[in-house]
Amino acid sequence: MCMKGKLYRGIVVALFIGLSTGLFGCGKKVASTVPLDQGDHIMYGHYQGEDIEWRVLDKKGDEVLLLSEYGLDAQPFDTSDESRVLWKDSTIRKWLNDDFYNSAFSEDEKKNIVLSSSEGFEKNNASVYVDFKKPYWHLERETEDKIFLLSYTEMCEYIVNALGVENYDLERAYDELLCYSTEYAKQNLNQVFKIDTCGWWLCNPQYDTGDGYSTKVEMITAYGQYDVEPKDSKSYAVRPAMWVTWQSDMQPVEE
């Protein structure tokens, strides 16, 4: 009788584990019940007298990943004297999680913004050396932040791959990567050409091969094309991103 009891309990445990794995997967993303779809737009917070419009990039559980639809400000990636600076040490990271965070959101809105980090998407990366995997060309954020900039691989995954494009073409310009600036940002952008669209920062320089090229920071140009630029430039806009806990008042709006 004791053996039967143990066998029965073992079967129950096995069934529970199998059910849990079937529902939630092994390390896979839990299905989300958030009533928003990728590509939806919501309004949340305000900056420099304008409500902030966000694009939904992803969702998991009760949280959604948002990217500002417009360039909200013109900030250099870094203003230090260092020739090469990663996201974790950049002045733009401090600005986003201090000045911007405190001015753009009320105390109640801040409660819904969650700390997050990024492991990126290896499938969207490329090896620095032929026939190897790591190190990869494009670096990821390795910090926990409330507000951040997208990495190269996140940009590929959430914006380009979402269009059905399997491999991002570095030489191609994508309309979906075009960004327009708010009136406030437009006044502060040092753009060479008077056009409506603006370039915007990604979160890191490339992997350092020692050739000096990697002192520049990855970004998307005003024409929707990948490039790298000096970290102290004020010619490019900031498109903040963040994970937030969905609330019932976060309803889709017309673009």
Side-chain angles (χ1 to χ4, degrees), residues 45-112:
H46 64 278
Y47 185 67
Q48 298 296 338
E50 298 183 58
D51 292 336
I52 305 176
E53 183 173 341
W54 303 87
R55 185 191 307 182
V56 176
L57 296 184
D58 195 12
K59 60 183 181 179
K60 59 181 181 181
D62 62 348
E63 297 172 0
V64 290
L65 173 60
L66 304 175
L67 173 70
S68 66
E69 182 64 17
Y70 299 96
L72 301 183
D73 205 335
Q75 293 285 332
F77 183 84
D78 186 72
T79 58
S80 71
D81 294 330
E82 299 294 327
S83 60
R84 173 180 165 82
V85 174
L86 300 181
W87 162 256
K88 65 184 180 68
D89 301 314
S90 66
T91 55
I92 202 169
R93 179 192 175 207
K94 183 178 185 305
W95 179 82
L96 281 168
N97 287 278
D98 188 351
D99 296 8
F100 175 77
Y101 175 74
N102 287 312
S103 63
F105 305 105
S106 68
E107 292 304 314
D108 286 339
E109 289 170 335
K110 289 178 184 177
K111 294 176 183 177
N112 300 321

Side-chain angles (χ1 to χ4, degrees), residues 50-237:
E50 298 183 58
D51 292 336
I52 305 176
E53 183 173 341
W54 303 87
R55 185 191 307 182
V56 176
L57 296 184
D58 195 12
K59 60 183 181 179
K60 59 181 181 181
D62 62 348
E63 297 172 0
V64 290
L65 173 60
L66 304 175
L67 173 70
S68 66
E69 182 64 17
Y70 299 96
L72 301 183
D73 205 335
Q75 293 285 332
F77 183 84
D78 186 72
T79 58
S80 71
D81 294 330
E82 299 294 327
S83 60
R84 173 180 165 82
V85 174
L86 300 181
W87 162 256
K88 65 184 180 68
D89 301 314
S90 66
T91 55
I92 202 169
R93 179 192 175 207
K94 183 178 185 305
W95 179 82
L96 281 168
N97 287 278
D98 188 351
D99 296 8
F100 175 77
Y101 175 74
N102 287 312
S103 63
F105 305 105
S106 68
E107 292 304 314
D108 286 339
E109 289 170 335
K110 289 178 184 177
K111 294 176 183 177
N112 300 321
I113 304 173
V114 298
L115 277 172
S116 67
S117 60
S118 173
E119 297 179 359
F121 298 88
E122 289 189 2
K123 65 180 181 178
N124 298 327
N125 220 326
S127 175
V128 173
Y129 306 110
V130 179
D131 297 330
F132 289 91
K133 290 188 177 180
K134 292 185 177 180
Y136 293 118
W137 272 117
H138 307 287
L139 304 179
E140 302 294 344
R141 290 178 292 108
E142 297 179 347
T143 59
E144 284 195 331
D145 300 289
K146 295 274 188 162
I147 315 294
F148 52 89
L149 300 179
L150 292 182
S151 70
Y152 169 90
T153 68
E154 290 174 317
M155 177 273 296
C156 291
E157 182 71 15
Y158 294 129
I159 302 178
V160 179
N161 291 6
L163 303 170
V165 178
E166 293 185 5
N167 297 303
Y168 177 67
D169 184 352
L170 291 173
E171 302 301 320
R172 178 183 164 186
Y174 292 82
D175 288 345
E176 291 75 11
L177 295 177
L178 292 176
C179 177
Y180 295 83
S181 60
T182 60
E183 287 302 316
Y184 174 79
K186 190 179 298 183
Q187 295 171 10
N188 294 285
L189 282 168
N190 298 330
Q191 295 199 109
V192 177
F193 303 106
K194 298 299 181 182
I195 56 178
D196 292 332
T197 55
C198 59
W200 49 285
W201 294 114
L202 297 177
C203 78
N204 262 315
Q206 292 182 339
Y207 179 82
D208 187 9
T209 58
D211 60 2
Y213 185 72
S214 59
T215 60
K216 297 181 178 181
V217 178
E218 297 184 308
M219 49 84 66
I220 301 299
T221 72
Y223 304 99
Q225 190 172 16
Y226 169 86
D227 204 348
V228 292
E229 290 294 336
K231 68 182 183 67
D232 59 352
S233 175
K234 283 195 69 174
S235 298
Y236 309 108

